[in-house]
């Protein structure tokens, strides 16, 4: 069974203003994890004391990655000159869903969709089937 979102659109919700500190913090968060990962990988190459060197180099990589990320985040923020001085969250909601199921579970899918409370945005088209791909099973919209 597959649930397919149709007519997807990108929605960007503004969560607040971003200043120099927010840009640096966002950049530091983005650079810390890759820095720690690269430091840990370099720590794997040390044969003398691998456990300590892995952890120590991962910590150094985390700090270095956070510093570089903060500087780059701040640099990008200043270069934009206020054109994008807000923080936002993006998501992609579909306008409708399509359920595609094999013949063996199609009746169960219709029953489960019919049990959903009204107002959830689901419609089963009064139980009629749309068969867009006959070999894979019918689809309920």
């Amino acid at each position: 069974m597959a649930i397919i979102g149709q007519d997807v659109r990108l929605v960007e919700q503004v969560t607040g203003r971003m200043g120099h500190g927010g840009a640096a913090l966002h950049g530091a968060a983005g650079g810390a994890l890759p820095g720690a990962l690269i430091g840990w990988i370099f720590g794997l190459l040390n044969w003398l004391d691998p456990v300590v060197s892995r952890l120590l180099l991962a910590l150094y990589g985390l700090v270095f990655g956070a510093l570089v990320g903060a500087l780059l985040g701040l640099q990008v923020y200043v270069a934009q000159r206020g054109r994008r001085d807000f923080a936002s969250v993006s998501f992609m909601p579909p306008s409708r869903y399509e359920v595609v199921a094999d013949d063996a579970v199609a009746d169960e899918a219709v029953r489960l969709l019919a049990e959903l409370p009204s107002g959830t945005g689901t419609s089963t088209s009064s139980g009629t089937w749309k068969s867009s791909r006959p070999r894979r099973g019918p689809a309920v919209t």
Side-chain angles (χ1 to χ4, degrees), residues 82-107:
R83 286 182 297 218
R84 184 152 174 101
D85 60 348
F86 58 89
S88 64
V89 176
S90 299
F91 55 96
M92 295 176 32
S95 63
R96 63 187 171 92
Y97 292 94
E98 194 171 280
V99 177
V100 179
D102 291 331
D103 288 331
V105 295
D107 292 331

Side-chain angles (χ1 to χ4, degrees), residues 17-101:
R17 295 191 59 87
M18 183 180 300
H20 290 86
L25 186 63
H26 186 70
L33 185 64
L37 182 63
I38 290 171
W40 180 74
I41 289 172
F42 278 124
L44 288 175
L45 300 176
N46 188 354
W47 294 99
L48 298 176
D49 196 3
V51 175
V52 173
S53 66
R54 277 186 227 155
L55 295 176
L56 193 59
L57 285 176
L59 179 66
Y60 288 156
L62 182 122
V63 171
F64 183 74
L67 287 174
V68 170
L71 289 174
L72 287 176
L74 201 63
Q75 193 174 30
V76 167
Y77 175 77
V78 170
Q80 289 177 346
R81 298 182 193 173
R83 286 182 297 218
R84 184 152 174 101
D85 60 348
F86 58 89
S88 64
V89 176
S90 299
F91 55 96
M92 295 176 32
S95 63
R96 63 187 171 92
Y97 292 94
E98 194 171 280
V99 177
V100 179

